[in-house]
């Protein structure tokens, strides 16, 4: 399911039956039909094409945000775990303080300050997810640092950098992979939430959240319920796919949650 | 015990300090000065300069932070740019609404999560367990606002039994209040129910394997009694442990739920502050959310220490 979703996002321009932004005022709010499989919206745009195009936005925000969080959070957490003492104390205190901010509210505040756009959604969601990775990476390194292979590497004269990259990182990678997969799911929800609130990707670029924002109007819900159902169901399927993959990876790699 | 309480409260202070720094910096790192926002787009440079001076925005950041923190410690969160009312009184006015929504949501989530969690754990691997687990996974996979919109579509549009949106104060009409709050509470409760069901299921499975449960069964106690009196008491602990996390989920969810159902609570205050670039209100709301999480975590820890002497005796 995840593969299908990624393919859909990559091939969006080629598999969409229509242009996702082309308005057709002769076919406004048409119910699903052979010509428009998921119907059309209030400007006569093909909903299927918009959902496919939205996959691109969701997937790119999900993946880039998680990459930002990992690339910054993991090194900080690993250094904290290895260094111990004051460095660890300071880093973990800051992390604890940041973790006190509810994830969505943190992301919202960051997005509000950076201004609404695709890139800023990635940054806001990435930074809001960052403290989780600091904590996980530090916890894993603390658990590993007493083990024999680490001590052996230290005894053989490995420097800190080499120790972190060559010895510790491979051993904590499976935990991070599971977390990252589940986190893509969270990031997709966060992106949809931001664009639903008008703080994410801006029109005319279609995103699932902004499609739902338009559909969330009592008149449209009466006249064209498919406008809400199609993007809503798509978000559910995409997020479910990443959650299932994450759970599956956790079982396969035998990682304790 | 008193020593533990004091120690635990003292360790909270650095966290609170860092939260205040983060909240302050977030707003002050905004490109463009708050004075520009205050003055409006048509303001002359002179007006902007005056406002900068009046609000002390030209002072060094550390000085501004110190002044701000001193005011916050006295309960002054500043004045809303939008309503020109004290931010604290705005928060105090909106929070009860969100509190009611949250309490109802938690009740609904437990009404769903406890029976399904127990049933799943007892019938592990059965069709019921598989179905419930899948529904719970779907529950955590669907954004709050999608649940809200679909519920409106179902119960307010296609089969109109409940009002689609709006808020009625319980002081005016309790029935009106509850009928307006039911859909939002289910919306907000759904994600929490899914989370709690998974927690209860996994912790109950673990506990049903433990010695004291086996002893209880060996004594010949009825199954219902063992599960409810012996196992569930312990299985509920993880749900309480993550109360801080759940509060975060609730507050985040409330922002979206209140937007979908047009409820004038904390979430709507936050979103309106964002839309109107009302930074003091945004700052106050974000600070409140983080403080609430810290306080709940503190209370959970203290309750634990009260119940389990091993925790408070640990050095």
């Amino acid at each position: 399911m995840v593969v299908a979703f990624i393919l859909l996002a990559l091939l969006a321009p080629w598999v969409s039956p229509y242009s996702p932004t082309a308005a057709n005022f002769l076919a406004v709010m048409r119910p699903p039909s052979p010509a428009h499989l998921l119907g059309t919206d209030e400007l006569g745009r093909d909903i299927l094409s918009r959902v496919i195009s939205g996959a691109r936005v969701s997937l790119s925000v999900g993946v880039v945000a998680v990459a930002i969080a990992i690339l910054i959070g993991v090194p900080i957490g690993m250094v904290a775990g290895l260094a111990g003492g004051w460095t660890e104390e300071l880093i973990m205190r800051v992390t604890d303080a940041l973790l006190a901010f509810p994830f969505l509210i943190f992301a919202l505040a960051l997005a509000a300050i950076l201004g609404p756009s695709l890139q800023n959604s990635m940054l806001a969601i990435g930074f809001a997810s960052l403290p989780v990775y600091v904590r996980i990476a530090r916890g894993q390194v603390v658990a590993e640092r007493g083990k024999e292979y680490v001590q052996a590497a230290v005894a053989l004269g490995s420097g800190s950098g080499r120790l972190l990259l060559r010895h510790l990182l491979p051993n904590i990678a499976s935990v991070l992979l599971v977390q990252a997969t589940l986190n893509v799911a969270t990031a997709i929800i966060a992106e949809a939430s931001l664009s639903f609130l008008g703080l994410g990707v801006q029109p005319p670029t279609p995103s699932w959240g902004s499609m739902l924002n338009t559909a969330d109007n009592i008149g449209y819900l009466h006249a064209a319920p498919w406008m809400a159902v199609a993007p809503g169901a798509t978000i559910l399927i995409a997020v479910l796919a990443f959650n299932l993959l994450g759970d599956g990876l956790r079982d396969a790699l035998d990682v304790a949650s | 015990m008193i020593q533990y309480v004091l120690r635990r409260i003292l360790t909270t202070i650095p966290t609170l300090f860092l939260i205040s720094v983060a909240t302050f910096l977030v707003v002050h790192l905004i490109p463009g000065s708050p004075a520009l926002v205050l003055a409006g787009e048509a303001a002359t440079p002179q007006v902007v300069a005056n406002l900068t001076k009046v609000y002390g925005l030209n002072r060094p950041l550390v000085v501004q932070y110190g002044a701000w923190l001193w005011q916050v410690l006295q309960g002054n969160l500043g004045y809303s740019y939008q309503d020109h009312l004290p931010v604290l009184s705005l928060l105090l006015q909106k929070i009860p609404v969100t509190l009611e929504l949250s309490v109802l949501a938690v009740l609904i989530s437990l009404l769903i999560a406890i029976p399904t969690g127990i049933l799943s754990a007892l019938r592990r691997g059965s069709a019921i367990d598989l179905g419930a687990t899948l529904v719970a996974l779907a529950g955590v996979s669907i954004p709050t606002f999608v649940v809200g919109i679909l519920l409106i579509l179902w119960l307010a549009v296609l089969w109109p039994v409940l009002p689609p949106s709006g808020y009625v104060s319980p002081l005016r009409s309790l029935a009106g209040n509850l009928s307006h709050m039911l859909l939002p509470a289910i919306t907000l409760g759904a994600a929490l129910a899914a989370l709690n069901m998974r927690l209860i299921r996994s912790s109950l499975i673990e506990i049903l394997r433990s010695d004291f449960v086996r002893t209880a069964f060996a004594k010949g106690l009825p199954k219902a009694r063992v599960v409810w009196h012996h196992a569930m008491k312990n299985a509920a602990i993880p749900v309480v442990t993550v109360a801080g996390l759940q509060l975060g989920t609730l507050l985040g969810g409330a922002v979206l739920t209140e937007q979908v159902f047009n409820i004038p609570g904390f979430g709507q205050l936050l979103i309106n502050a964002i839309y109107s670039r009302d930074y003091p209100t945004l700052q106050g709301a974000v600070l409140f959310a983080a403080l609430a999480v810290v306080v709940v975590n503190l209370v959970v820890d203290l309750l634990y220490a009260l119940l389990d002497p091993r925790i408070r005796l640990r050095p």
Side-chain angles (χ1 to χ4, degrees), chain B residues 8-309:
Chain B
R8 186 63 186 75
I9 291 175
L10 277 178
T11 54
T12 309
I13 292 174
T15 312
L16 292 178
F17 167 71
L18 289 165
I19 286 174
S20 74
V21 174
T23 314
F24 177 81
L25 280 182
V26 154
V27 170
H28 284 260
L29 291 177
I30 299 167
S33 155
L36 273 174
V37 180
L38 260 177
E41 279 172 17
T44 59
Q46 184 60 39
V47 173
V48 176
N50 280 342
L51 279 170
T52 303
K53 215 170 162 189
V54 168
Y55 284 89
L57 296 168
N58 49 357
R59 292 177 298 172
L61 216 52
V62 183
V63 178
Q64 285 190 52
Y65 169 73
W68 175 76
L69 187 64
W70 180 238
Q71 292 298 321
V72 169
L73 288 175
Q74 293 172 328
N76 179 7
L77 292 173
Y79 283 81
S80 158
Y81 291 171
Q82 188 70 13
D83 308 321
H84 306 289
L85 289 167
V87 171
L88 187 65
S89 68
L90 280 175
L91 276 172
L92 291 176
Q93 194 187 327
K94 306 286 183 184
I95 285 166
V97 177
T98 304
L99 194 66
E100 185 200 349
L101 176 64
S102 305
V103 169
L104 288 175
V106 170
L107 284 180
I108 288 172
S109 85
L110 292 179
L111 272 178
I112 302 170
I114 293 176
T116 43
I118 293 178
L119 210 63
S120 272
L122 291 179
R123 306 251 160 89
R124 201 179 165 196
S126 70
I128 297 177
D129 178 31
L130 208 69
T133 310
L134 206 65
V135 171
L137 196 62
V140 292
S141 299
I142 188 162
T144 316
F145 64 93
V146 177
V147 178
I149 293 174
L150 294 181
L151 278 176
I152 293 179
L153 187 60
W154 180 31
L155 292 173
V157 174
L158 298 177
W159 185 40
V161 286
L162 288 166
S165 69
Y167 174 76
V168 174
S169 162
L171 301 173
R172 224 178 73 202
S173 154
L174 192 62
N177 173 268
L178 288 178
S179 73
H180 278 87
M181 278 301 211
L182 194 57
L183 281 185
I186 297 174
T187 303
L188 190 53
L192 220 54
L195 217 68
N196 284 334
M197 183 261 159
R198 280 155 65 106
L199 273 174
I200 290 172
R201 177 184 176 273
S202 61
S203 78
L204 195 57
I205 286 174
E206 192 111 325
I207 281 164
L208 286 174
R209 285 201 208 112
S210 62
D211 289 343
F212 75 92
V213 171
R214 204 174 317 133
T215 311
F217 274 123
K219 281 197 299 186
L221 291 177
K223 194 173 181 181
R225 197 179 154 80
V226 176
V227 170
W228 192 249
H229 281 265
H230 296 248
M232 244 334 259
K233 254 187 205 164
N234 292 289
I237 291 174
V239 180
V240 181
T241 313
V242 294
L245 195 73
Q246 301 225 1
L247 181 69
T249 312
L250 268 175
L251 285 173
V255 173
L256 294 161
T257 309
E258 289 175 8
Q259 196 66 11
V260 172
F261 291 95
N262 195 18
I263 297 171
F266 166 80
Q268 210 176 55
L269 182 73
L270 179 82
I271 290 298
N272 286 340
I274 289 176
Y275 289 157
S276 57
R277 298 174 65 118
D278 181 353
Y279 296 127
T281 309
L282 175 62
Q283 211 167 25
V286 171
L287 189 65
F288 163 76
L291 288 186
V293 171
V294 170
V295 169
V296 167
N297 280 334
L298 179 67
V299 170
V300 168
D301 278 6
L302 294 181
L303 279 178
Y304 259 134
L306 200 68
L307 296 174
D308 188 347

Side-chain angles (χ1 to χ4, degrees), chain A:
Chain A
M1 212 145 63
V2 170
V3 173
F5 175 57
I6 293 171
L7 280 178
L8 200 64
L10 287 177
L11 301 174
W14 295 280
V15 293
S16 299
Y18 299 88
S19 155
T21 50
N24 177 1
F25 294 103
L26 296 173
V28 171
M29 291 203 270
R30 290 277 167 86
S33 66
H36 297 281
L37 287 175
L38 296 178
T40 62
D41 69 4
E42 83 288 3
L43 298 175
R45 296 173 297 195
D46 180 54
I47 291 180
L48 177 63
S49 306
R50 291 178 67 72
V51 164
I52 293 174
S53 200
R56 247 184 180 197
V57 172
S58 287
L59 191 69
S60 61
V61 172
V63 171
V64 175
V66 171
I68 291 173
I70 289 180
L71 287 177
I72 303 175
V74 170
I76 296 177
M78 289 182 77
V79 166
L82 195 65
W86 264 102
T87 321
E88 183 182 18
E89 187 70 16
L90 183 71
I91 292 175
M92 293 324 291
R93 286 275 174 229
V94 173
T95 307
D96 282 348
L98 292 179
L99 279 171
F101 294 97
F103 170 69
L104 189 66
I105 292 183
F106 195 12
L108 271 177
L110 290 174
I113 282 151
L114 294 167
S117 78
L118 181 68
Q119 285 81 5
N120 289 344
S121 303
M122 293 169 175
L123 284 174
I125 298 168
F127 278 110
S129 318
L130 204 154
V132 176
Y133 286 94
V134 177
R135 176 173 266 190
I136 292 177
R138 178 250 172 199
Q140 289 296 315
V141 168
V142 168
E144 296 283 320
R145 74 183 172 198
K147 290 193 180 164
E148 282 171 2
Y149 77 92
V150 180
Q151 288 170 347
V154 175
L156 288 172
S158 280
S160 297
R162 190 181 162 82
L163 194 62
L164 286 173
L165 276 176
R166 290 289 301 273
H167 299 284
L168 285 167
L169 191 60
N171 280 293
I172 68 169
S174 55
V175 178
L176 294 173
L177 181 68
V178 170
Q179 180 63 31
T181 312
L182 295 172
N183 212 205
V184 172
T186 325
I188 291 175
I189 292 187
E191 188 282 321
S193 304
L194 287 184
S195 51
F196 173 72
L197 294 168
L199 296 167
V201 181
Q202 294 300 296
T205 309
S207 89
W208 299 337
S210 58
M211 289 172 75
L212 277 154
N213 183 11
T214 314
D216 179 27
N217 165 311
I218 203 74
Y220 290 161
L221 283 177
H222 267 290
W226 50 89
M227 278 172 64
V229 174
T234 316
I235 298 178
L236 171 64
I237 294 167
V239 176
L240 194 60
F242 277 99
N243 274 332
L244 284 171
L245 180 66
D247 280 358
L249 279 175
R250 175 155 54 203
D251 294 342
L253 299 171
D254 197 20
V255 173
S257 57

